[in-house]
Amino acid sequence: MEKLTGLKKIKTAVFISGTGSNLKNIIKFSKIKKSPISINLIISNTCLAKGLKYAEQFKIKKKIFNFKDYNKAEKKILILLKKEKIEFICLAGYMKILSAGFIKKFGKKIINIHPSLLPKYKGLNTHSRAIKNKDKLAGCTVHYVAAKLDSGKIILQKKVKISARDNPASLKKKVLKQEHKLYPAAIMKIFN
Ligand code: GAR
C-alpha cells in the first residue's frame, strides 16, 4: 500500500455503545500526522452512550440507530456508510453483534477491541471471569471482526498482570489503559 502522507487518510467510522474512552483515544490518534485514518463518523445503537459527546467536542458527524428491527437498522447503517464513503470500521465498546450479511456487504476491514486475551473469555464479563478462575494474566485483544463472535484473526494483544488485590473494577481500569495503547498500535500495524 502507498505510504500515507496525512493528506489522504482512510475514512473511518467508530461504533460505540457506552463511555467512549476508546473512541476519544482513537480520535486523538487520528489527528496525529502519522495516523493512516481519519474519523469521519460515529455510530451508536443508543442515545445513552456517553461517548456521543465526543462527536460534538471534535465536530464529527454522529448517528444513532434504533435496533428494534435489527435488519432495518443494519441496512440503514450500510446506506450511511456508503454515503459517507467509509472505508474502515473500528468497533469500540459496541455491544451489538454485526450480522454476517452486514460484514459481507460492507466488504472492507472491520476491527474490534475486546477486553480479554482471546480466545479466552469471548463475550461479556471478561474481568470477573478471569478473577474467578484465578488467572495470573488478563489483557486485551484487537482483532478483525468475523461472523462468529470474538473469533476473527488477532491483530495485536497486550497482557496485564492480575494482582491478588484486583477486583473486576480495578482490573477493568488497568486493562482499559492498555487498550488505549493497543488500538492505535493495531491500526498502525494494519496500514503500514
Ligand atoms: C472496553 O473495555 C472494550 O474492550 C469493551 O468495552 C469497553 C468499552 O469502553 N468491549 C467489549 O466488551 C466488546 N465485546 P469504552 O466505551 O470506554 O471505550
Side-chain angles (χ1 to χ4, degrees):
M1 170 175 269
E2 95 187 74
K3 279 272 172 214
L4 293 148
T5 58
L7 291 173
K8 198 174 160 273
K9 292 190 176 188
I10 295 157
K11 286 189 174 221
T12 302
V14 182
F15 287 34
I16 63 165
S17 301
T19 315
S21 72
N22 276 290
L23 165 66
K24 184 185 180 197
N25 183 59
I26 298 168
I27 294 171
K28 286 196 160 171
F29 162 72
S30 74
K31 291 184 180 299
I32 65 173
K33 202 173 167 199
K34 67 168 185 179
S35 162
I37 65 164
S38 61
I39 306 304
N40 300 75
L41 181 63
I42 297 165
I43 285 180
S44 175
N45 61 298
T46 165
C47 60
L48 300 176
K50 290 207 180 98
L52 285 168
K53 68 179 177 205
Y54 298 118
E56 277 88 48
Q57 191 177 322
F58 293 98
K59 300 193 168 46
I60 298 170
K61 185 168 188 163
K62 68 161 191 229
K63 187 92 186 162
I64 300 149
F65 288 89
N66 178 335
F67 269 77
K68 257 189 220 155
D69 183 334
Y70 215 105
N71 278 343
K72 219 170 161 182
E74 284 199 334
K75 264 190 194 150
K76 282 187 186 167
I77 294 176
L78 281 166
I79 290 168
L80 180 62
L81 294 172
K82 204 165 185 183
K83 185 169 160 247
E84 298 295 325
K85 298 190 168 61
I86 297 298
E87 309 165 86
F88 180 51
I89 296 175
C90 294
L91 306 184
Y94 182 65
M95 302 315 262
K96 292 276 174 199
I97 297 170
L98 298 178
S99 73
F102 179 96
I103 296 166
K104 202 173 163 200
K105 279 189 198 122
F106 178 63
K108 300 174 185 86
K109 290 186 176 75
I110 308 175
I111 66 172
N112 178 44
I113 189 150
H114 185 74
S116 80
L117 295 172
L118 290 173
K120 251 189 162 181
Y121 308 129
K122 295 171 184 175
L124 300 175
N125 306 316
T126 55
H127 303 311
S128 51
R129 284 150 76 198
I131 288 172
K132 205 169 164 196
N133 286 341
K134 302 198 181 345
D135 289 358
K136 296 268 184 290
L137 289 172
C140 44
T141 304
V142 178
H143 64 94
Y144 286 106
V145 172
K148 215 167 151 215
L149 182 67
D150 298 331
S151 297
K153 188 170 175 256
I154 290 171
I155 301 159
L156 278 182
Q157 284 188 310
K158 177 79 186 172
K159 290 179 182 138
V160 172
K161 276 190 188 144
I162 303 178
S163 80
R165 275 190 235 147
D166 270 323
N167 55 44
S170 69
L171 186 56
K172 182 181 172 178
K173 214 170 150 186
K174 278 206 267 187
V175 171
L176 207 49
K177 206 171 159 192
Q178 294 309 319
E179 290 185 31
H180 297 161
K181 293 183 187 162
L182 196 70
Y183 219 143
I187 294 167
M188 290 299 285
K189 189 177 170 189
I190 294 171
F191 294 111
N192 283 293

